[in-house]
Amino acid sequence: MTDSKYFTTTKKGEIFELKAELNSDKKEKKKEAVKKVIASMTVGKDVSALFPDVVNCMQTDNLELKKLVYLYLMNYAKSQPDMAIMAVNTFVKDCEDSNPLIRALAVRTMGCIRVDKITEYLCEPLRKCLKDEDPYVRKTAAVCVAKLHDINAQLVEDQGFLDLLKDLLSDSNPMVVANAVAAISEIMDASPNAAQVLEMNSGTINKLLTALNECTEWGQVFILDSISNYTPKDEREAQSICERVTPRLAHANAAVVLSAVKVVMKLMEMLDTSGDYVSSLVKKLAPPLVTLLSAEPEIQYVALRNINLIVQKRSDILKNEMKVFFVKYNDPIYVKLEKLDIMIRLTSQSNIAQVLAELKEYATEVDVDFVRKSVRAIGRCAIKVEPAAERCVSTLLDLIQTKVNYVVQEAIVVIKDIFRKYPNKYESIIATLCENLDTLDEPEARASMIWIIGEYAERIDNADELLESFLEGFQDENTQVQLQLLTAIVKLFLKRPTDTQELVQQVLSLSTQDSDNPDLRDRGYIYWRLLSTDPAAAKEVVLAEKPLISEETDLIEPTLLDELICHISSLASVYHKPPNAFVEGRGGQRRVLPAKSQQEGTVEEMSAPTETTQQPPQPTTVIPGADSLIGDLLDIDLGPGPSMMQQQMYPQQPPVQTQASGGGGGMDIFGEGLDNLLGGGPSGGDMLGGLGDIFGMPQSQSYIPPQEVWLPAPKGKGMEITGTFARKNNQINMELTFTNKAMQPMTGFAIQFNKNSFGLMPAQVLNIRSPLPPNQSASTSLPLNTTGPIQKMEPLTLLQVAIKNNIDVFYLSTQVPLHVLFAEDGEMEKKIFLATWKDIPASNEVQYTINNDQHSADTVSQKLRNNNVFTIAKRNVEGQDMLYQSLKLTNGIWVLAELKIQPSNPTFVLSLKSRAVDVYEAVRQVYVNILHN
Amino acid sequence: MIGGLFIYNHKGEVLISRVYRDDIGRNAVDAFRVNVIHARQQVRSPVTNIARTSFFHIKRSNIWLAAVTKQNVNAAMVFEFLHKMTDVMAAYFGKVTEENIKNNFVLIYEILDEILDFGYPQNTDTGILKTFITQQGVKTQSKEETSQITSQVTGQIGWRREGIKYRRNELFLDVLESVNLLMSPQGQVLSAHVAGRIIMKSYLSGMPECKFGINDKVLMESKGGKSGQDDGRGYVKSTSGTSSSGKTSIAIDDCQFHQCVKLSKFETEHSISFIPPDGEFELMRYRTTKDISLPFRIIPLVREVGRQKMEVKVVVKSNFKPSLLAQKVEVRIPTPLNTSGVQVICMKGKAKYKASENAIVWKIKRMGGMKECQLSAEIELLNTNDKRKWTRPPISMNFEVPFAPSGFKVRYLKVFEPKLNYSDHDVIKWVRYIGRSGLYETRC
């Protein structure tokens, strides 16, 4: 058979000829003609004009011909929807054929014809086929549901196909199950409505795991990928899924292996890390991953990209497998580059010698990119493994001696980084570097060299000459080089002011007057003013000690890494980008690793958009928190509040890190200044306490529970929130500390509360330093009022909070210590107290015992008084002190208390009486906390 | 999932184009041609993203296979599928060439329709596909026939059909190992591993259950071994049950099995049991890194004498039982690009300088164990003004030896077919061990 002849017909008028042939009476001729049509279609010719003629050939019992016609239909039906209707009858008839192959073919093809009118006719045959006696038809119908959903999602949901599809998960045939799973995963991704119907539970997962053992390799991939989207309800279930998935690691198909790895990596998050099971899992993962490296190069590439993620998440898995990542001479370049990346990640003190020897070997290869990356890798090794730094540097020097241009340039760039990691250690090599000055033609290398000269200007005798030589072609240099040259010359001037004045003036005028680059110009002006107003300050700023660079600058940001782990084996893991970065339209749900402890699902209802609390645009970029601060200062009631708050606000303000973070520095200074204003530094609290006394305020402060972690960093995608509540001056405050443990600055903070028992809500927008740079924290005090919507919570003091930043919205729940809700006017008159006490039925009275911390009745009463629990009367009955107290909640509920203190007895007896018995437990808790503080 | 599949010739002309998803337009075909095929030098990854469309490609000789998608697909699966696709094509019409593809394009479309539905790979087993996708065009099939086909395509044992009969029940096992080595010039092993494959040819009646025993440390519960006579083709007739302990057990780092092997049973009971497909298939792949007996060692000596001359001396040592013979031994010694002439002297075999390959190729037809051969060569170099130093590629080697360098041994292969009246003893079994060079390189 030689079908190739069909490719060669390129005569004019061929369409007419084909038309005639298609309408020929002879079957053979017809078939030949259809083949020609398909061949033309393949090479991109438009043969849609033949539509009616081809469709006429559809009615045939020749399966091969039928398939060809269907192929044509799938391609052109969309452009000829009216004509396509002509085919419907044949499809419907074929769906009833006695031959299952034909039934399946019909339903399969019909789903590919994306014409609305045809879709209507598809429903009934599809419904029948989903229940067909033949598994081949059912497995085809399952996929057809996904096709139909892609065309008309509403129709699929309305016609109940989702339930039929779900039923197929219990099919006796494993391939039907696999295709149903594939269809379900796709539909769930596309439509949130359907996702609810199709939600997996442990029952369905169990069915899938059973089918896993029996279906084709592809089916196993579908099933494993689907399981990876399921979050088990507890650790036990996670472990049992792992146990049933790990045998797949020995499958010959790399996709099955990687999908199994994905499931295991994800579920491991839920398992007890110290347990034996996790360490046995870790052991099981390494060999199959290594084996993937002997697959075809394309699969190796996918595997390597994934291994790169896996070693970042769990470096222990492959720590002993360094050798398998050594580059082979004949590896394709894309495999070589990926292997190099992983080698660096696995480098440690124990294997550095081997790695260095390899890298040196690679640096002599042919491919320029690969050589550059190898040189860079040597530098990264030096930064990562301190004891090996010296050897790395000497290796780099050897490479510089080769005088291969790009090797030298790359080496200089990494040596600059080494200098930044180990300052004042390897300056002896500067002379060698300077020898290669003329050969540098890449901006990055030039900038690096200039940086080195500027940084070590005092040790390079002819630094001024060297920099001057660069200055000659200043205008033609890349911006990077210009900026670096400016800074380097200023550094040089500060170090050797006598003979470089001319040079510095030259560079300043070049960058400020002759350049239209705003960055360069501004930097020039800043230096100029610094130098002209206060050279000493300039020295401090420009020659300030620099922070050391960190070893792993190229790590993937943790939250992204976690997301990518959920996408192992997929394109996302190959690109190292989240799917929404390259997939259009339907932004499927972001995948996150399961948390170890399950969260209660109560916060659901408050996921309302947080738009309302979004920080309004602030015209003036005032220091965050200053508003509330000033507000409090203006308040005449100079309680212990302000200073307290101030300490809260600037607790561990990190020292000024670099020139760049000047804003933070300003704030710090301001903060201290205010402290001084209020009476001197850290002791301000006491001083103010004294002041408070003068104003007749009680000596000590109200009880503030220590800050607790409300949102741990892993859950908050790097944002850690600790907080507590305080009441000062008739005002409830939420004290919050935000710590950024991610790698990017965070911005756009906002807060919102869910309805709660006491109607708490933020009285103003969240004022917090923004952006919040990585590894820094900021605190704030958020005033709350009690005018918000009320809904009784269980427990009563539960408060659900939503906090937003530029990364995501996070939900957390905490308990409000009840005493912050005790009103200042909670002191009852004695008479009323007595009357009320009698009035409340005895059934409402509850007694508690509280451990005594050896307080006398007076201190107890003082402590409680500070928290708005007022002692109305005190009696001494038979050596026991009886305190009668009252308090009032912000919502007007009164609580009366009787506290019995026996000097010899280590416990207090607390009796509470109130009309609202629900608050008792919270009140008791307050007593315990206050008395034990 | 896969949105479309294209096959191109080396010029970038489309030979096959099958679109499965609506989001892939005709322009995708051209995008790949322009950005990948016509820009060969710049493309440095098998996955390319062009305008939010991802292209996966593999190349067989000068044929390009590309899968296209706009979704976040399982990348490993796509590549596995493309490789499987070429296997299927090869099984139908031999080599995957432009000529063959053009001659079989109708067939290819039919196959593509069957093995990929809406971009989801379906059953790709060639044995099964051949039962109902034929080039004759299936016209008349009885009801029984079609239902047998459909149950096979979707069935639990998708790789074997019922009712196979042989007069002589026979099976062949080939243990094929490829030894990979990277050695430093000083003779230090930088990395070495054996990648082994077990190819089984089964000619067995009915639905036989097989149990396979090997000398893996973990799998060894009882001692066993094999003995038998040579049949002249390198196969050793194996009779199960007889034990003569040869080598002790070996440590297999990892192994993978054909889909017929019951993985859950392997995990729990450490036994390899399966119902084999009919005919030839790859039963198992494995990898070992410990205690590999390296069949050959190369000792290189390269000396640059001035700018215009190089002296090379290479010694090859064989390191296995003297009674065994290695075949097809070939040593490839790279020479600089500016080589003008080479004089070679070798005691054994034939050595030639091949200018087109920039290498001296030294071939030795046969070489016994524990022997040593030497080659010396003088390389004359042209004066060049190329400043860059010549980087010496490693010396590589090819060979074939009649044993398994990892020490891998087949202990038994038992066959049970409860429904038919033949027993394990009636099955004639053959085992053959072949060790070949993979990447066997010594730096110089």
Side-chain angles (χ1 to χ4, degrees):
Chain A
M1 242 183 140
T2 50
D3 288 345
S4 56
K5 60 174 185 277
Y6 302 116
F7 281 91
T8 52
T9 51
T10 49
K11 308 173 280 191
K12 264 192 176 174
E14 94 180 280
I15 296 278
F16 290 103
E17 263 175 48
L18 281 173
K19 215 175 175 94
E21 284 174 40
L22 285 169
N23 292 316
S24 154
D25 296 333
K26 287 185 196 146
K27 272 189 179 172
E28 263 320 293
K29 205 155 195 187
K30 255 189 188 175
K31 198 163 138 189
E32 297 285 289
V34 175
K35 279 188 182 180
K36 277 185 205 161
V37 172
I38 301 290
S40 308
M41 195 175 85
T42 299
V43 295
K45 272 183 231 157
D46 183 13
V47 284
S48 58
L50 297 167
F51 199 89
D53 310 282
V54 177
V55 171
N56 273 337
C57 304
M58 196 170 158
Q59 290 273 15
T60 172
D61 52 354
N62 183 321
L63 201 55
E64 193 188 7
L65 180 57
K66 190 168 237 144
K67 282 183 180 175
L68 287 174
V69 174
Y70 280 180
L71 189 62
Y72 179 89
L73 266 175
M74 285 187 268
N75 260 308
Y76 287 114
K78 218 179 162 188
S79 57
Q80 313 255 348
D82 296 329
M83 302 264 226
I85 288 290
M86 291 161 54
V88 165
N89 267 336
T90 319
F91 278 126
V92 175
K93 213 177 102 209
D94 279 1
C95 286
E96 308 273 329
D97 199 283
S98 63
N99 185 342
L101 293 174
I102 293 189
R103 291 202 296 278
L105 179 66
V107 81
R108 184 166 68 206
T109 313
M110 242 176 133
C112 296
I113 296 178
R114 307 176 59 94
V115 175
D116 277 340
K117 284 177 194 153
I118 290 202
T119 318
E120 289 165 24
Y121 291 99
L122 177 58
C123 290
E124 278 325 299
L126 178 59
R127 200 186 306 279
K128 256 184 221 155
C129 287
L130 281 166
K131 292 179 174 162
D132 200 284
E133 52 171 20
D134 194 292
Y136 184 79
V137 179
R138 290 201 301 276
K139 73 111 184 165
T140 312
V143 175
C144 191
V145 176
K147 292 178 188 169
L148 189 58
H149 189 269
D150 191 40
I151 305 170
N152 189 341
Q154 199 56 46
L155 186 70
V156 168
E157 285 158 31
D158 294 346
Q159 294 271 331
F161 281 122
L162 295 183
D163 288 322
L164 287 172
L165 193 57
K166 213 173 169 186
D167 291 344
L168 289 185
L169 290 181
S170 316
D171 201 283
S172 60
N173 185 294
M175 193 161 180
V176 176
V177 178
N179 276 1
V181 162
I184 285 177
S185 302
E186 174 156 350
I187 292 172
M188 282 175 80
D189 243 17
S191 143
N193 284 345
Q196 281 173 356
V197 182
L198 298 170
E199 187 82 60
M200 297 275 170
N201 56 38
S202 52
T204 41
I205 291 293
N206 224 353
K207 283 175 198 156
L208 295 185
L209 285 166
T210 312
L212 187 60
N213 290 324
E214 290 158 353
C215 63
T216 65
E217 45 196 332
W218 314 115
Q220 297 188 19
V221 176
F222 306 153
I223 290 177
L224 288 168
D225 282 353
S226 163
I227 290 175
S228 77
N229 290 337
Y230 168 75
T231 306
K233 56 183 186 299
D234 54 24
E235 187 176 344
R236 217 172 37 102
E237 192 186 0
Q239 178 165 347
S240 97
I241 294 176
C242 275
E243 277 162 4
R244 294 175 71 179
V245 164
T246 42
R248 300 296 123 194
L249 294 173
H251 202 284
N253 187 314
V256 176
V257 175
L258 272 176
S259 291
V261 169
K262 165 164 58 188
V263 174
V264 173
M265 282 296 287
K266 205 178 158 189
L267 295 185
M268 260 206 286
E269 290 293 308
M270 290 184 69
L271 301 177
D272 176 21
T273 38
S274 57
D276 289 345
Y277 187 65
V278 167
S279 59
S280 83
L281 272 182
V282 165
K283 272 196 206 109
K284 271 185 195 162
L285 283 178
L289 287 173
V290 172
T291 299
L292 291 176
L293 298 186
S294 34
E296 288 85 357
E298 294 88 8
I299 291 174
Q300 280 187 52
Y301 175 73
V302 175
L304 286 164
R305 294 293 285 174
N306 279 287
I307 288 170
N308 199 327
L309 297 173
I310 292 167
V311 296
Q312 286 186 60
K313 184 73 192 164
R314 291 181 181 269
S315 55
D316 47 341
I317 291 183
L318 290 161
K319 61 171 187 267
N320 297 322
E321 304 286 351
M322 173 61 93
K323 277 187 178 180
V324 299
F325 297 103
F326 284 178
V327 170
K328 293 179 190 139
Y329 191 77
N330 293 322
D331 280 339
I333 181 68
Y334 52 82
V335 169
K336 284 185 176 174
L337 293 173
E338 292 307 316
K339 280 187 174 174
L340 205 52
D341 253 349
I342 294 168
M343 279 174 70
I344 299 163
R345 297 218 192 283
L346 295 177
T347 303
S348 65
Q349 204 172 337
S350 61
N351 56 25
I352 184 76
Q354 250 184 335
V355 172
L356 259 185
E358 283 293 308
L359 292 176
K360 201 176 168 185
E361 195 76 34
Y362 304 160
T364 63
E365 280 212 25
V366 189
D367 190 283
V368 177
D369 282 350
F370 180 59
V371 170
R372 280 174 181 275
K373 201 162 181 178
S374 304
V375 175
R376 222 162 252 239
I378 297 173
R380 278 168 65 188
C381 286
I383 290 164
K384 195 172 172 192
V385 187
E386 185 159 359
E390 190 151 352
R391 249 185 310 173
C392 296
V393 170
S394 77
T395 308
L396 287 170
L397 279 182
D398 287 350
L399 290 172
I400 288 176
Q401 301 300 353
T402 62
K403 303 275 175 199
V404 177
N405 188 273
Y406 55 87
V407 173
V408 173
Q409 308 212 37
E410 208 63 43
I412 284 179
V413 173
V414 295
I415 285 176
K416 171 208 62 181
D417 289 340
I418 294 175
F419 279 172
R420 287 202 55 194
K421 170 80 180 177
Y422 310 107
N424 306 318
K425 215 166 160 193
Y426 299 110
E427 287 70 58
S428 51
I429 65 171
I430 289 175
T432 322
L433 302 184
C434 289
E435 284 166 24
N436 294 288
L437 220 52
D438 311 333
T439 60
L440 307 180
D441 51 14
E442 291 161 22
E444 198 181 356
R446 286 172 83 81
S448 300
M449 194 63 223
I450 293 168
W451 182 86
I452 292 173
I453 297 173
E455 192 65 17
Y456 295 96
E458 67 273 32
R459 317 198 188 185
I460 306 170
D461 294 335
N462 60 343
D464 48 343
E465 284 169 37
L466 294 175
L467 291 176
E468 198 170 358
S469 70
F470 280 106
L471 205 55
E472 279 160 19
F474 190 79
Q475 313 282 12
D476 306 327
E477 295 282 7
N478 182 292
T479 315
Q480 190 186 7
V481 181
Q482 290 177 335
L483 285 168
Q484 208 44 258
L485 197 53
L486 170 61
T487 305
I489 291 177
V490 171
K491 280 181 191 166
L492 173 71
F493 172 70
L494 289 168
K495 287 173 179 176
R496 289 177 14 198
T498 44
D499 50 348
T500 56
Q501 206 153 2
E502 206 171 308
L503 195 60
V504 83
Q505 251 156 20
Q506 207 181 333
V507 80
L508 286 175
S509 78
L510 272 173
S511 37
T512 52
Q513 284 153 29
D514 300 343
S515 169
D516 44 14
N517 180 332
D519 279 352
L520 183 64
R521 197 187 53 211
D522 289 357
R523 197 191 283 196
Y525 276 127
I526 291 169
Y527 282 145
W528 204 327
R529 297 218 171 119
L530 263 175
L531 292 173
S532 56
T533 47
D534 188 353
K539 216 165 183 165
E540 265 178 53
V541 172
V542 179
L543 302 179
E545 207 169 299
K546 285 159 206 64
L548 298 183
I549 59 170
S550 74
E551 18 194 285
E552 304 272 358
T553 44
D554 59 339
L555 283 180
I556 293 175
E557 200 257 324
T559 52
L560 176 61
L561 180 63
D562 284 357
E563 191 182 348
L564 292 179
I565 290 286
C566 301
H567 287 291
I568 282 179
S569 186
S570 77
L571 259 182
S573 73
V574 174
Y575 292 146
H576 289 185
K577 281 179 191 159
N580 55 16
F582 59 89
V583 175
E584 259 167 26
R586 35 172 127 164
Q589 183 132 34
R590 276 186 66 168
R591 307 253 159 89
V592 284
L593 288 176
K596 195 160 278 170
S597 60
Q598 294 301 99
Q599 216 184 346
E600 304 87 36
T602 48
V603 244
E604 272 317 284
E605 61 198 81
M606 65 176 300
S607 58
T610 42
E611 250 81 78
T612 44
T613 55
Q614 227 170 25
Q615 217 159 322
Q618 284 181 312
T620 47
T621 50
V622 196
I623 306 123
D627 278 350
S628 60
L629 191 71
I630 290 165
D632 261 304
L633 280 171
L634 293 177
D635 205 326
I636 327 150
D637 238 355
L638 258 186
S643 81
M644 268 296 309
M645 191 165 93
Q646 205 170 327
Q647 281 169 1
Q648 287 281 354
M649 280 183 65
Y650 309 110
Q652 62 266 72
Q653 194 59 244
V656 190
Q657 285 243 330
T658 52
Q659 306 93 302
S661 65
M667 181 162 81
D668 199 25
I669 294 163
F670 191 21
E672 250 172 79
L674 278 174
D675 250 349
N676 291 338
L677 261 178
L678 289 173
S683 58
D686 287 356
M687 290 288 286
L688 273 163
L691 274 178
D693 217 11
I694 296 169
F695 285 99
M697 291 289 284
Q699 169 72 39
S700 58
Q701 312 156 343
S702 67
Y703 167 61
I704 300 170
Q707 290 211 349
E708 282 172 9
V709 178
W710 284 352
L711 181 75
K715 257 187 171 175
K717 305 200 173 162
M719 175 170 71
E720 190 191 68
I721 298 175
T722 58
T724 186
F725 293 89
R727 185 181 183 92
K728 296 163 248 184
N729 312 325
N730 213 350
Q731 171 68 55
I732 307 163
N733 283 310
M734 192 180 201
E735 309 287 359
L736 289 161
T737 302
F738 290 71
T739 309
N740 181 357
K741 296 193 171 172
M743 327 265 299
Q744 312 164 329
M746 292 175 176
T747 55
F749 296 96
I751 192 165
Q752 191 181 29
F753 292 177
N754 196 5
K755 287 182 202 162
N756 54 71
S757 316
F758 296 96
L760 281 169
M761 64 178 282
Q764 62 182 58
V765 295
L766 184 64
N767 251 324
I768 191 103
R769 176 144 62 103
S770 170
L772 181 61
N775 286 321
Q776 300 211 16
S777 38
S779 301
T780 187
S781 199
L782 177 70
L784 309 179
N785 60 33
T786 52
T787 55
I790 292 169
Q791 181 188 336
K792 194 174 156 191
M793 302 300 287
E794 187 56 48
L796 203 66
T797 51
L798 185 73
L799 177 67
Q800 294 172 336
V801 183
I803 289 184
K804 192 183 98 161
N805 64 10
N806 57 327
I807 295 164
D808 209 337
V809 179
F810 305 96
Y811 303 106
L812 53 93
S813 60
T814 179
Q815 300 228 12
V816 183
L818 197 66
H819 71 271
V820 301
L821 296 157
F822 294 175
E824 266 72 9
D825 57 348
E827 190 163 9
M828 237 181 209
E829 276 188 49
K830 276 187 190 172
K831 272 184 200 160
I832 301 174
F833 183 88
L834 275 171
T836 318
W837 186 271
K838 279 181 193 154
D839 210 4
I840 298 172
S843 60
N844 274 18
E845 183 173 348
V846 176
Q847 265 195 9
Y848 299 99
T849 53
I850 298 170
N851 282 329
N852 182 359
D853 272 349
Q854 300 303 320
H855 294 306
S856 72
D858 283 336
T859 47
V860 167
S861 128
Q862 181 61 48
K863 268 174 178 276
L864 291 167
R865 172 78 183 79
N866 291 337
N867 292 290
N868 296 339
V869 179
F870 300 91
T871 306
I872 295 165
K874 183 181 157 193
R875 275 201 299 168
N876 192 303
V877 185
E878 297 162 8
Q880 296 182 354
D881 278 323
M882 305 287 279
L883 299 177
Y884 295 96
Q885 301 172 317
S886 74
L887 60 93
K888 186 185 142 190
L889 297 176
T890 48
N891 57 359
I893 292 176
W894 286 91
V895 179
L896 311 185
E898 180 199 56
L899 195 62
K900 202 188 287 175
I901 305 171
Q902 298 160 286
S904 54
N905 196 327
T907 55
F908 294 148
V909 178
L910 173 69
S911 306
L912 294 177
K913 258 193 166 182
S914 169
R915 295 196 191 274
V917 290
D918 295 335
V919 301
Y920 285 171
E921 180 51 34
V923 172
R924 185 192 69 88
Q925 196 57 48
V926 167
Y927 270 81
V928 172
N929 287 339
I930 293 173
L931 294 180
H932 290 190
N933 177 31
Chain B
M1 279 306 114
I2 298 174
L5 204 137
F6 309 133
I7 303 181
Y8 302 85
N9 66 9
H10 67 287
K11 286 185 268 178
E13 290 165 355
V14 199
L15 304 177
I16 297 286
S17 106
R18 176 74 163 89
V19 174
Y20 293 93
R21 298 255 171 168
D22 207 33
D23 53 5
I24 302 300
R26 181 82 205 177
N27 53 358
V29 185
D30 303 322
F32 183 75
R33 179 192 12 253
V34 172
N35 290 290
V36 181
I37 301 181
H38 289 168
R40 242 167 266 184
Q41 297 317 310
Q42 285 119 10
V43 175
R44 320 201 80 185
S45 151
V47 186
T48 321
N49 193 316
I50 306 163
R52 291 195 149 226
T53 309
S54 299
F55 295 80
F56 298 76
H57 75 264
I58 64 168
K59 234 188 133 186
R60 282 292 143 94
S61 57
N62 46 28
I63 296 295
W64 297 75
L65 268 90
V68 195
T69 183
K70 283 207 166 188
Q71 287 169 293
N72 183 29
V73 297
N74 188 323
M77 186 181 80
V78 175
F79 281 125
E80 281 282 3
F81 177 81
L82 288 175
H83 287 294
K84 199 49 129 290
M85 172 75 202
T86 54
D87 292 349
V88 170
M89 289 196 289
Y92 266 99
F93 50 76
K95 252 188 133 189
V96 179
T97 60
E98 179 173 354
E99 178 81 20
N100 279 345
I101 289 171
K102 279 187 169 174
N103 280 337
N104 293 282
F105 84 95
V106 174
L107 171 74
I108 294 175
Y109 276 125
E110 201 175 337
I111 293 172
L112 280 177
D113 200 38
E114 188 56 46
I115 61 176
L116 212 52
D117 189 3
F118 202 39
Y120 289 105
Q122 305 293 305
N123 199 328
T124 47
D125 190 282
T126 40
I128 301 296
L129 288 173
K130 278 186 172 176
T131 61
F132 70 105
I133 296 184
T134 56
Q135 285 172 289
Q136 281 82 44
V138 199
K139 253 187 234 167
T140 46
Q141 274 167 324
S142 71
K143 215 173 169 188
E144 291 77 53
E145 276 173 327
T146 52
S147 76
Q148 200 193 347
I149 289 168
T150 57
S151 79
Q152 262 172 51
V153 176
T154 61
Q156 300 190 0
I157 301 166
W159 54 85
R160 189 181 180 93
R161 63 190 167 88
E162 304 242 9
I164 297 170
K165 277 219 171 72
Y166 287 100
R167 258 208 312 195
R168 199 165 111 119
N169 288 299
E170 196 170 17
L171 63 86
F172 298 84
L173 282 174
D174 274 339
V175 178
L176 302 177
E177 293 199 338
S178 71
V179 204
N180 297 277
L181 169 76
L182 183 62
M183 198 177 244
S184 75
Q186 292 74 35
Q188 187 196 2
V189 177
L190 296 174
S191 72
H193 77 271
V194 166
R197 300 191 305 146
I198 298 177
I199 306 292
M200 180 167 171
K201 272 175 253 172
S202 74
Y203 305 103
L204 301 169
S205 314
M207 294 295 257
E209 285 239 24
C210 299
K211 227 177 178 180
F212 184 46
I214 54 175
N215 65 334
D216 178 39
K217 245 185 210 164
V218 189
L219 301 186
M220 282 258 271
E221 307 119 326
S222 59
K223 271 182 196 162
K226 56 111 214 86
S227 66
Q229 74 252 40
D230 205 303
D231 80 331
R233 287 180 290 167
Y235 277 113
V236 172
K237 194 170 172 189
S238 136
T239 43
S240 64
T242 52
S243 66
S244 69
S245 53
K247 237 191 164 184
T248 44
S249 60
I250 60 162
I252 288 182
D253 288 23
D254 188 31
C255 47
Q256 298 174 312
F257 298 99
H258 185 266
Q259 55 167 325
C260 66
V261 175
K262 292 167 187 150
L263 291 178
S264 41
K265 224 168 179 176
F266 175 71
E267 177 91 358
T268 51
E269 298 166 27
H270 295 300
S271 77
I272 304 170
S273 52
F274 56 96
I275 297 173
D278 193 40
E280 184 174 322
F281 70 104
E282 185 183 287
L283 172 63
M284 173 183 176
R285 260 188 251 171
Y286 59 91
R287 184 169 49 81
T288 71
T289 45
K290 290 194 191 70
D291 303 321
I292 298 167
S293 65
L294 296 167
F296 288 98
R297 198 184 144 191
I298 292 218
I299 304 157
L301 201 77
V302 180
R303 210 156 63 94
E304 281 169 50
V305 190
R307 294 203 51 152
Q308 296 185 40
K309 210 169 125 188
M310 257 172 81
E311 285 177 4
V312 180
K313 210 187 212 178
V314 176
V315 178
V316 180
K317 279 186 175 172
S318 63
N319 188 20
F320 45 88
K321 268 193 258 170
S323 59
L324 299 175
L325 263 186
Q327 290 182 311
K328 301 176 191 167
V329 181
E330 185 186 293
V331 184
R332 183 172 284 265
I333 305 151
T335 56
L337 301 173
N338 55 337
T339 301
S340 61
V342 178
Q343 277 98 47
V344 210
I345 312 162
C346 58
M347 305 303 190
K348 209 166 181 291
K350 279 180 191 162
K352 246 191 202 163
Y353 166 62
K354 293 197 171 167
S356 58
E357 294 167 38
N358 288 313
I360 300 168
V361 180
W362 177 22
K363 286 184 178 168
I364 306 168
K365 270 192 185 153
R366 282 191 192 79
M367 187 168 171
M370 307 311 272
K371 291 260 168 51
E372 199 177 303
C373 300
Q374 194 183 341
L375 171 145
S376 36
E378 266 188 31
I379 301 170
E380 281 160 35
L381 303 174
L382 287 172
N383 252 335
T384 57
N385 43 11
D386 190 359
K387 258 210 220 152
R388 283 183 46 192
K389 232 179 79 183
W390 176 61
T391 61
R392 297 175 187 163
I395 296 177
S396 58
M397 231 194 132
N398 290 314
F399 55 79
E400 199 178 295
V401 290
F403 61 91
S406 69
F408 185 97
K409 284 273 171 359
V410 174
R411 285 170 53 228
Y412 56 81
L413 201 152
K414 292 177 193 154
V415 182
F416 309 93
E417 167 53 73
K419 285 187 198 143
L420 298 174
N421 56 346
Y422 71 94
S423 72
D424 183 45
H425 289 285
D426 304 328
V427 180
I428 308 156
K429 303 166 190 171
W430 304 91
V431 182
R432 174 165 68 168
Y433 296 90
I434 299 172
R436 289 197 183 115
S437 51
L439 264 186
Y440 205 84
E441 297 180 335
T442 308
R443 287 183 180 154
C444 60

